[in-house]
Amino acid sequence: MADKKARLTVDGLEEAIELPVYSGSEGPDVIDVRPLTGKGLFTYDPGFVSTAACESKITYIDGAKGVLLHGGYPIEQLAEKSDYLEVCYLLMNGELPDAEQKEKFVNTIKNHTMVHEQMSHFFNGFRRDAHPMSIMVACVGALSAFYHDSLDINDARHREVCAYRLIAKMPTLAAMCYKYSIGMPFQYPRNDLSYAENFLQMMFGNPCEEYVPNPVLAKAMDKIFLLHADHEQNASTSTVRLAGSSGANPFACIASGVAALWGPAHGGANEAVLTMLEEIGDESRIEEFVAKAKDPNDPFRLMGFGHRVYRNFDPRAKVMKATCDQVLAELGIEDEPLLKIAKRLEQIALEDEYFVARKLYPNVDFYSGIILKAIGIPTSMFTVIFAMSRTIGWISHWSEFHSSPNKIGRPRQLYTGPSAREYDN
Ligand code: CMC
């Protein structure tokens, strides 16, 4: 596989160290640094800025060109022609399903939408005002106590059943978090509805009347799920792979992904965007917040702007912006004050020298927050929706990790603490 070689000279070493260089099907070459350990050296790369931690066939991103491919298909084409469950199939299997495979897959997911009835008692232990992400971390981890018949991580069929269960049950758990917070009864899933319609039904329906989903909102919801489905080795996916590398229970691994996603630098950004827009409150205060974001001595950042990998535009944000326009038109809320602030911020970021020079474009979370708010989803649920959408990415990477020979993840460090010393008290 190594078609090239790199040579590293290190002061104090007589000979250069030869390192294999691999080429993938797309993207930069990678230097295999494993021979360094034998020479008493480690590499140093906090934040994994220059480190490929694994080989993967699932998703490819070219941040400079603003390209995102799942199984080779551009995200824009998938968003236009496909739907979330089809993309789930693609991420799990590497190929799009034919009509028969798709129908079978959709029906299988529907067969798993309910959660064990005992799970509903679990919620009672939480305060009603608990953040739904705190409940999600706990409930997803708790799934590991229920589904013991699919836990052999070395069995491909078990891994597949685990994935079905997670894709199917995450929306049910997410909606239960919301219903619990407002003191309403949990809504059972309805398998006559599509995946997105059913989620809206579990969120906004009640046992007293039949819920009729709005097709524009259901389509927008499906697009939000699809655009968040996977994003290669981001912080939460890498966390799931690392947790999985010890052979841990799959549901517990996914819970670790939910935890890693929660932070505002990652999935928590969609909630942080709305909190920020509310804090700005009025167009007259925008300049003040932009100045804070530009001040190197102020840790404040404009939420929903910038991305570690995309240094051009985020292709998901383009699709999300178009969806945002459709939803706002459908609901007739173009004049919403927060939206005006959002639009002004977007304009500033695209024109202001600070943001242009650093290539800080609006990212996917900037627009998804606005759509979710318009649909009537409370801000605290935004990251939960990201987590349920990303579950397919997490479980696909977890399964890919286990389907070939692997090693436990164990980074090393540059130690700068005290050298060995005597205990002489
Ligand atoms: N507002 C103001 N300045 C920023 C921002 C921002 N949102 N993001 C980056 N910068 C500046 C940063 O201060 C630095 O400036 P300088 O070179 O003068 O020191 C420069 O841009 C490069 O930033 P960085 O911290 O080296 O970039 P990073 O790749 O480590 O961070 C990021 C990426 C997404 C964590 C960061 O842009 C950020 O915190 N954005 C806001 C949070 C956000 O929207 N996150 C969602 C990401 S998309 C969803 C997902 O994939 O999870």
Side-chain angles (χ1 to χ4, degrees):
M1 161 153 117
D3 17 41
K4 296 182 204 159
K5 291 211 180 324
R7 271 163 209 85
L8 180 71
T9 54
V10 181
D11 287 353
L13 286 187
E14 274 179 18
E15 278 180 30
I17 306 169
E18 207 165 79
L19 303 168
V21 179
Y22 309 134
S23 300
S25 47
E26 296 272 1
D29 288 349
V30 301
I31 303 172
D32 183 345
V33 293
R34 286 175 292 182
L36 294 181
T37 320
K39 306 281 179 193
L41 291 167
F42 298 141
T43 55
Y44 181 61
D45 184 18
F48 301 109
V49 179
S50 303
T51 295
C54 64
E55 183 191 330
S56 180
K57 294 183 169 51
I58 300 175
T59 290
Y60 172 71
I61 302 175
D62 184 330
K65 293 192 186 135
V67 168
L68 167 61
L69 309 176
H70 295 319
Y73 297 103
I75 191 70
E76 297 87 344
Q77 291 181 26
L78 292 170
E80 190 196 331
K81 298 179 183 168
S82 184
D83 62 30
Y84 178 66
L85 283 185
E86 196 168 88
V87 170
C88 289
Y89 184 98
L90 172 66
L91 294 171
M92 277 177 75
N93 299 289
E95 294 296 337
L96 285 167
D98 60 27
E100 198 184 319
Q101 287 166 326
K102 169 120 184 239
E103 195 190 341
K104 190 170 168 222
F105 184 73
V106 170
N107 287 335
T108 305
I109 298 302
K110 285 184 174 172
N111 277 337
H112 286 287
T113 46
M114 284 204 295
V115 293
H116 194 291
E117 198 61 18
Q118 202 69 15
M119 281 294 293
S120 57
H121 303 307
F122 203 75
F123 283 78
N124 292 329
F126 288 96
R127 290 167 54 127
R128 296 264 173 195
D129 64 355
H131 194 287
M133 278 300 275
S134 64
I135 305 182
M136 278 308 270
V137 173
C139 285
V140 175
L143 291 174
S144 57
F146 288 91
Y147 301 103
H148 293 150
D149 58 344
S150 60
L151 294 183
D152 182 355
I153 57 173
N154 298 314
D155 182 325
R157 175 67 189 151
H158 280 217
R159 293 199 299 270
E160 192 179 40
V161 173
C162 245
Y164 293 151
R165 285 189 165 135
L166 279 157
I167 300 166
K169 293 182 200 310
M170 286 297 272
T172 313
L173 286 178
M176 286 169 88
C177 285
Y178 175 57
K179 289 297 195 194
Y180 182 74
S181 75
I182 55 170
M184 275 184 61
F186 299 138
Q187 279 288 100
Y188 283 112
R190 263 181 53 195
N191 290 348
D192 59 317
L193 299 177
S194 73
Y195 191 83
E197 287 170 340
N198 178 47
F199 176 64
L200 290 173
Q201 178 278 132
M202 290 190 292
M203 285 288 291
F204 299 120
N206 66 65
C208 310
E209 52 199 56
E210 193 186 344
Y211 180 81
V212 182
N214 174 322
V216 176
L217 303 191
K219 204 167 168 202
M221 208 64 240
D222 191 81
K223 218 152 262 186
I224 289 180
F225 298 155
L226 186 153
L227 293 172
H228 286 94
D230 188 41
H231 217 219
E232 50 115 306
Q233 313 307 324
N234 54 82
S236 56
T237 304
S238 300
T239 302
V240 171
R241 276 193 182 253
L242 194 54
S245 77
S246 73
N249 178 291
F251 298 103
C253 293
I254 300 303
S256 76
V258 179
L261 186 82
W262 194 355
H266 192 9
N270 52 13
E271 177 175 347
V273 168
L274 254 286
T275 309
M276 177 189 76
L277 293 177
E278 275 158 9
E279 211 183 319
I280 297 175
D282 189 85
E283 281 183 272
S284 61
R285 298 191 65 205
I286 291 180
E287 295 299 335
E288 178 195 328
F289 278 79
V290 170
K292 264 165 76 68
K294 287 159 58 171
D295 181 352
N297 300 315
D298 191 325
F300 174 77
R301 287 183 167 198
L302 279 189
M303 288 292 125
F305 289 84
H307 197 276
R308 166 61 63 80
V309 181
Y310 294 120
R311 299 300 185 184
N312 190 310
F313 60 91
D314 178 341
R316 304 168 302 169
K318 270 195 172 175
V319 180
M320 204 64 101
K321 182 173 164 39
T323 308
C324 185
D325 293 341
Q326 284 158 13
V327 168
L328 297 173
E330 169 72 12
L331 298 173
I333 48 174
E334 279 100 334
D335 285 340
E336 229 260 81
L338 292 190
L339 190 65
K340 282 191 182 160
I341 299 173
K343 285 196 165 150
R344 180 75 192 114
L345 273 183
E346 179 192 20
Q347 191 189 355
I348 290 176
L350 296 176
E351 290 167 3
D352 186 294
E353 177 54 24
Y354 174 92
F355 294 93
V356 174
R358 290 169 181 74
K359 302 187 184 338
L360 300 171
Y361 292 87
N363 58 45
V364 69
D365 288 328
F366 185 69
Y367 299 107
S368 65
I370 298 169
I371 302 176
L372 292 172
K373 181 171 164 54
I375 291 178
I377 291 173
T379 317
S380 60
M381 283 294 293
F382 289 6
T383 313
V384 172
I385 288 170
F386 193 158
M388 50 175 273
S389 317
R390 182 56 58 83
T391 294
I392 180 58
W394 293 331
I395 199 70
S396 300
H397 282 272
W398 171 87
S399 189
E400 183 182 62
F401 175 85
H402 283 296
S403 55
S404 51
N406 54 60
K407 262 181 154 8
I408 186 168
R410 177 51 169 101
R412 303 305 296 257
Q413 61 174 2
L414 169 65
Y415 177 70
T416 53
S419 297
R421 49 183 161 167
E422 297 298 324
Y423 180 89
D424 56 6
N425 266 347

